[in-house]
């Protein structure tokens, strides 16, 4: 269906439909392989070994197979239960900071991130430690993509639109010739309303929606490997 749409749908040149379908197919198949998930859990445990604020469960390999995954039991409060968190004396602002730090660490340091960060997959333990479960859906970010993402953030913060264009192109958005001057002008227009506002007041979802409209205008494409990352960021912000 993706191949047919790519040939017949006029708007398909704005998306890598076949690559997106392949990416989601790979993700779904990976979620069904519990031996693979167990190894992934251990990679996260290694990555967060020195981070006392994150609890990754141990894998019980003696009771695990490709069809059954047995993990250390994680228990705690739901991250969305504000009243229970307050009653337990959990500082919710500090909790949000720790969670944000962990997500950024996954993306920019480890290059391996939990891609299903909804409230059902987090438990807040009595000491405020964050317990993570369900590592069936994960994403990876290569070193060059991490550098380009960092360059995007730095360019936005410094209002360096030339560098922002270069960083977007380095991420693989361009599949054909790009009018850099026009793209730069539209990016400047897009970001102007956000300057001077506290970062906490900027909603990522609407900003990305506007950014994608600009991307489509310039016939750029969202690289398939970034789709899962953007989904994760939007889900994390909502939580």
């Amino acid at each position: 269906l993706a191949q047919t749409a790519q040939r017949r749908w006029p708007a398909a040149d704005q998306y890598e439909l076949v690559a997106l379908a392949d990416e989601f197919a790979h993700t779904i198949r990976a979620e069904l392989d519990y031996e693979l998930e167990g190894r992934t859990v251990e990679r996260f445990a290694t990555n967060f070994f020195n981070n006392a604020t994150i609890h990754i469960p141990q894998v019980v390999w003696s009771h695990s197979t490709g069809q059954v995954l047995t993990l250390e039991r994680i228990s705690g409060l739901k991250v969305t239960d504000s009243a229970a968190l307050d009653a337990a004396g959990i500082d919710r602002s500090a909790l949000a900071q720790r969670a944000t730090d962990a997500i950024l660490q996954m993306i920019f340091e480890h290059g391996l991130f939990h891609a299903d960060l909804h409230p059902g997959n987090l438990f807040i333990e009595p000491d405020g430690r964050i317990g993570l479960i369900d590592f069936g859906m994960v994403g990876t970010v290569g070193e060059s993509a991490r550098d380009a993402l960092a360059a995007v953030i730095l360019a936005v913060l410094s209002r360096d639109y030339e560098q922002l264009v270069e960083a977007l192109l380095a991420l693989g958005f361009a599949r054909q010739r790009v009018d850099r001057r026009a793209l730069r002008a539209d990016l400047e227009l897009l970001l102007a309303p956000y300057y001077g506002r506290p970062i906490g007041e900027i909603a990522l979802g609407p900003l990305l929606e506007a950014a994608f409209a600009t991307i489509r205008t310039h016939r750029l494409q969202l690289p398939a490997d970034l789709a899962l990352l953007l989904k994760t960021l939007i889900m994390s912000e909502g939580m």
Side-chain angles (χ1 to χ4, degrees), residues 23-91:
E23 184 82 10
F24 284 119
H26 172 77
T27 300
I28 291 170
R29 292 192 182 100
E31 282 200 85
L32 299 176
D33 184 341
Y34 291 129
E35 185 177 348
L36 173 61
E37 182 174 344
R39 293 196 298 269
T40 301
V41 173
E42 292 189 328
R43 287 179 64 190
F44 275 87
T46 299
N47 290 342
F48 282 107
F49 181 75
N50 292 318
N51 188 335
T53 68
I54 304 296
H55 183 188
I56 307 296
Q58 288 186 324
V59 181
V60 185
W61 285 112
S62 60
H63 290 69
S64 298
T65 68
Q67 289 75 45
V68 176
L69 179 62
T70 306
L71 299 175
E72 169 195 1
R73 185 178 181 88
I74 299 284
S75 59
L77 300 172
K78 287 195 67 173
V79 71
T80 50
D81 192 343
S82 301
L85 293 173
D86 289 341
I90 302 295
D91 183 333

Side-chain angles (χ1 to χ4, degrees), residues 1 28 38 47 56 112 129 173 175 210 212 224 231-232:
L1 286 173
I28 291 170
N47 290 342
I56 307 296
L112 175 70
R129 188 168 58 159
F173 278 81
R175 293 293 182 271
F212 287 141
K231 162 193 170 292
T232 300

Side-chain angles (χ1 to χ4, degrees), residues 9-23:
W9 185 33
D13 61 354
Q14 299 167 3
Y15 308 93
E16 292 186 79
L17 294 181
V18 176
L20 282 170
D22 286 341
E23 184 82 10

Side-chain angles (χ1 to χ4, degrees), residues 94-124:
L95 174 62
Q97 182 67 57
R98 291 196 299 275
T100 302
D101 289 345
I103 292 167
L104 294 176
Q105 191 175 6
M106 290 182 205
I107 296 169
F108 287 105
E109 293 184 21
H110 306 158
L112 175 70
F113 62 92
H114 193 304
D116 200 16
L117 288 173
H118 60 76
N121 285 339
L122 286 89
F123 295 91
I124 310 306

